[in-house]
Amino acid sequence: MVRGRLFICDPACVQQIGHNVHALRYFKSALNAGFSEVIAVCCNSLPDDIAKEEGFVKHYQFYYPEFFPGVPTSDVSFSYSNDSVIIDGKERLATQDAEKFLQMFSVNSHDNVFFPHLDFYGVVGLINALQLRAESERPKLYLRFIGVMENATDHYKFPCNELLFRLRVAAKRGIRISASAETPRYADLVAEVLEARVAVTGYPLTEQKIPLPKDGPFYFYCPGSARPDKGYFELLDIFRAVRSRDPDCNIRFITQSLPSHDLVNHLTYTAQLYAIPGVEVQVGVVSAEEMISTYGRSHAVLLPYARDIYEYRGSAVLMEAAAYGRPAIAYSGMAFSDVISYYGLGKVVSSQSEMIDNIIKLSESGRESLEIMSSQASYRFHADNLASYRSWLEI
Amino acid sequence: MKQRVFFVDHSFHEKTLSSTFFVDALREEFDVDVFYLTPSMGIDQACLEAAATSDYVLLWQMDFLAPIFLAMGKPVVVLPMYDGSANQSGLHWLAQRGASHINFSLRMHAYVTRLGVRSKLVRYYKPPVTNSERASFDGGLRVFLWQRRPEHGINVATVEALLGEQITYLHVHDAPDDATVEGSQYMLRRIRSYDFSSSKWFETKGDYLETLSRCNTFVCPRRAEGIGMALLESLARGMLVLATDDATHNEYISNWTNGILFNADNPSPANLGDAAASIGYQAWKGAEIGYKHWLSQLESVPNFIRGTTVPPVVISDRHRLQDLADELVGSYYAGDTYVDFLNVHLRLIEQLSGLSQGSILKLVGCKQR
């Protein structure tokens, strides 16, 4: 059944780095079939040429300069408001943006507004604006929680709790809200607070299997930005331990380095990674083509992510690895560890030494059987994920 | 027809040939005209003329010259060296922000990319010897030490402090970079149990390599390197390499994995036990992997050079350029006056970097002293 319009909104889509633009593109193309029209709406600081090429509508002012250094911003004041209800300057801006958005597109109750990885101000602004509108002018909201930008405010001690509280109030006032979360654990948490059913929706990458290299060394790839919470500062111990047990360098590692503004602060560490035989350190920012090409020459991914940061969050890298048919090794205790275990998307380990053991063990697997098992896991995961999106978005 | 590259190098490298591997590779794709700059001679009109008729200007280690050629409106590619340029000021780098950089050091790459310079990080390796030619570790540690900079703490006493009675043989090549240094005063032995030989001059590179092949342990002769040709030669041979903990050594050596890093000011004993052979093996494996990677990196270098921006002409008058070149070379080799030169020419740096004075000062922190 084809329904009304779908607006896919991402006020934090602002620069061609990492998944920032790619994610909005993926969602736009993945959901194209289920609605009469799909319109992707991004930040007005996204360069014109990229927005034009992707077919995005530039709209939102940029609320998050502290999280995206280097993004040019317009002269917008974030000073606190004197308004007795809206006390945060960014919230006031976001509310104005939402009002303009609703007017510009004459949004009505047949329309749907989807935040694929919701941000605090984008959603708060929209529900503020919607509460002033008649029921016939209120679209249905689909909010996907991934545990990142819903916390992007320094105004509240527990931003996501504040957001969930406001959503619950908005729902009670008649705004139609449907939520999903990237991991089962996060979905259950949101469901409990919202007192509503919450779907589980992974990153909507479909299978794009890349054949596993059959010969040569076994490559582990540590994709994505080299951040402390992604285990960048564990890699030296892991790589060195593996190297001492694999002096012939049958196991190789590829990792991204830090972005240039961070790299200068961690040069000694990065140089030590760079110096280990069989370790390839890529520059801090790589193109999507280079990333895909690196997946192509890798056999598995390594995700020594921080348990506390990823207690509820998923991992876009895990979704990519699943799409390209590469198993992952990750720590237990994270929300996405459960996903790995359930679908067989790799191996979950409890400690660094167990991770090292499993790196050796996985590298000794037969390449053909590894490919078959990865393909099976990938199939199971994507079939469920697709079904979940269809059910949630009623398409 | 091949495009023309005007390659500017220090006259010292005419003797050491340390840039030859790169020039030879360039010649596969470009017509390369090499100009060796003698600091006391500076840049003359013939040099400016040759640059003007080339498609690209490449500066090997002579990064400070970039503003001259950028001001002419030539696409410039700079290959700075860590040992010569690591401590340069932010203004030095911003004056060449319009150039592309090919960096052989991760640290240099990090410094310049932070300032917005287009940089390609590469890592050179020498081709590894065959497995059967690898250094053998039977019979203890046979050490080669080239006393290039004994006055900087890399000398016989340091080697003895590091390796002590594990040494069974020590060859010292007593040929300091600074001819005024008396190398023999740094060759006093505290330990008498090992065999000893020395040289002052090798007639041919073959003689050097023959002496090197009698050894399985190599002590890198300087505290820091731009690339480190002797380091790379020893890694490629699967030797146990000991080097100070500074670039580029510590970008090639992971401590106790494929070499040993030490503090030349306070060398502590490295009790190797059975580890020497496995560290040497890792050095060789690293060179094997690294050399293949270098060859693949090299393939992308010509396109990186071609992707260099053509800067606007800032100074068209040849006499003004000559004056600027004389002032620049003079101040650079005079030491402290180079910082003054950069401060005086802030307007030129604005034009060359495409940045406002405010942005420049924001990037470098404050006026350079």
Side-chain angles (χ1 to χ4, degrees), chain B residues 99-263:
Chain B
S100 295
H101 280 215
I102 296 175
N103 274 299
F104 286 90
S105 159
L106 174 74
R107 282 173 174 77
M108 298 296 290
H109 172 77
Y111 294 152
V112 301
T113 50
R114 191 180 63 89
L115 295 171
V117 174
R118 176 177 181 256
S119 170
K120 182 177 181 62
L121 175 64
V122 296
R123 184 156 55 170
Y124 179 58
Y125 277 91
K126 288 191 172 242
V129 299
T130 62
N131 194 16
S132 60
E133 293 169 320
R134 270 194 310 115
S136 155
F137 287 86
D138 296 338
L141 300 183
R142 300 182 298 280
V143 185
F144 186 101
L145 168 68
W146 175 7
Q147 283 204 151
R148 281 186 77 170
R149 285 288 181 187
E151 75 279 20
H152 290 176
I154 303 171
N155 48 41
V156 170
T158 302
V159 173
E160 288 190 345
L162 286 165
L163 299 173
E165 298 199 345
Q166 298 169 98
I167 307 169
T168 55
Y169 169 64
L170 172 64
H171 180 90
V172 178
H173 183 55
D174 179 27
D177 280 356
D178 182 348
T180 65
V181 170
E182 180 48 63
S184 59
Q185 66 175 303
Y186 296 100
M187 290 165 66
L188 301 175
R189 296 167 57 191
R190 187 178 51 81
I191 302 171
R192 289 280 156 189
S193 57
Y194 58 81
D195 295 330
F196 181 84
S197 62
S198 66
S199 54
K200 277 197 167 288
W201 174 257
F202 290 116
E203 280 295 327
T204 64
K205 191 175 180 193
D207 292 344
Y208 163 68
L209 294 178
E210 201 279 321
T211 307
L212 190 64
S213 69
R214 292 205 300 268
C215 301
N216 56 19
T217 303
F218 185 84
V219 180
C220 291
R222 300 200 304 165
R223 287 195 174 219
E225 293 288 353
I227 301 177
M229 291 299 168
L231 161 76
L232 299 184
E233 182 70 48
S234 53
L235 291 173
R237 288 168 168 267
M239 298 174 79
L240 169 68
V241 182
L242 295 96
T244 55
D245 189 1
D246 198 353
T248 56
H249 303 140
N250 57 14
E251 297 178 9
Y252 282 96
I253 293 174
S254 171
N255 201 15
W256 285 84
T257 299
N258 60 339
I260 305 279
L261 297 170
F262 66 88
N263 176 356

Side-chain angles (χ1 to χ4, degrees), chain A residues 103-393:
Chain A
Q103 281 165 20
M104 186 165 69
F105 290 101
S106 303
V107 176
N108 60 53
S109 61
H110 299 293
D111 291 322
N112 307 280
V113 177
F114 173 38
F115 281 77
H117 22 254
L118 65 89
D119 65 293
F120 184 88
Y121 288 109
V123 169
V124 161
L126 183 58
I127 55 176
N128 286 344
L130 286 177
Q131 291 187 55
L132 302 173
R133 290 170 74 94
E135 201 170 311
S136 62
E137 294 176 324
R138 286 177 177 176
K140 181 166 183 181
L141 305 193
Y142 290 95
L143 306 178
R144 181 169 173 264
F145 288 75
I146 69 165
V148 182
M149 295 301 283
E150 50 264 59
N151 293 297
T153 173
D154 55 10
H155 198 84
Y156 301 94
K157 194 171 180 187
F158 301 106
C160 191
N161 289 356
E162 170 71 16
L163 181 65
L164 288 167
F165 168 75
R166 292 194 192 202
L167 287 172
R168 206 166 65 167
V169 170
K172 283 181 178 164
R173 289 179 183 171
I175 295 175
R176 292 169 298 151
I177 296 170
S178 181
S180 80
E182 197 174 20
T183 62
R185 190 185 294 176
Y186 199 13
D188 292 349
L189 177 82
V190 173
E192 193 178 343
V193 180
L194 285 185
E195 296 176 351
R197 292 196 299 184
V198 174
V200 178
T201 52
Y203 197 56
L205 272 178
T206 49
E207 272 192 273
Q208 303 160 52
K209 225 172 69 176
I210 307 174
L212 210 64
K214 295 286 185 295
D215 304 311
F218 194 99
Y219 279 89
F220 282 91
Y221 182 24
C222 307
S225 52
R227 294 202 317 246
D229 60 297
K230 293 191 173 186
Y232 184 65
F233 294 106
E234 281 208 36
L235 296 182
L236 184 62
D237 289 341
I238 294 170
F239 292 175
R240 287 182 61 137
V242 171
R243 192 74 311 131
S244 73
R245 288 170 62 178
D246 170 45
D248 287 324
C249 300
N250 292 319
I251 300 169
R252 310 275 174 90
F253 297 98
I254 306 169
T255 183
Q256 253 177 256
S257 175
L258 295 151
S260 57
H261 55 275
D262 283 336
L263 178 57
V264 287
N265 299 318
H266 299 287
L267 269 172
T268 302
Y269 177 85
T270 302
Q272 279 293 282
L273 275 184
Y274 186 59
I276 300 172
V279 173
E280 187 181 325
V281 178
Q282 295 182 327
V283 293
V285 179
V286 300
S287 67
E289 293 72 26
E290 197 175 347
M291 191 186 70
I292 292 168
S293 142
T294 309
Y295 269 110
R297 58 196 176 93
S298 305
H299 299 83
V301 299
L302 211 54
L303 307 174
Y305 287 20
R307 287 185 173 97
D308 53 349
I309 305 291
Y310 286 84
E311 186 181 359
Y312 293 103
R313 284 173 62 174
S315 159
V317 169
L318 176 67
M319 301 295 104
E320 277 169 359
Y324 300 132
R326 300 296 186 267
I329 302 181
Y331 286 133
S332 57
M334 298 180 289
F336 68 81
S337 318
D338 303 340
V339 178
I340 294 176
S341 296
Y342 178 75
Y343 288 103
L345 290 168
K347 181 75 186 172
V348 173
V349 297
S350 59
S351 65
Q352 192 183 81
S353 63
E354 206 185 322
M355 181 169 277
I356 292 160
D357 290 343
N358 277 278
I359 287 170
I360 307 272
K361 201 171 159 190
L362 191 63
S363 76
E364 292 166 350
S365 316
R367 306 272 170 104
E368 281 186 14
S369 64
L370 190 62
E371 191 161 28
I372 291 164
M373 292 314 293
S374 299
S375 178
Q376 164 66 5
S378 188
Y379 166 73
R380 281 179 55 213
F381 172 74
H382 286 107
D384 276 6
N385 198 34
L386 186 63
S388 186
Y389 269 103
R390 284 188 175 149
S391 158
W392 179 47
L393 296 171

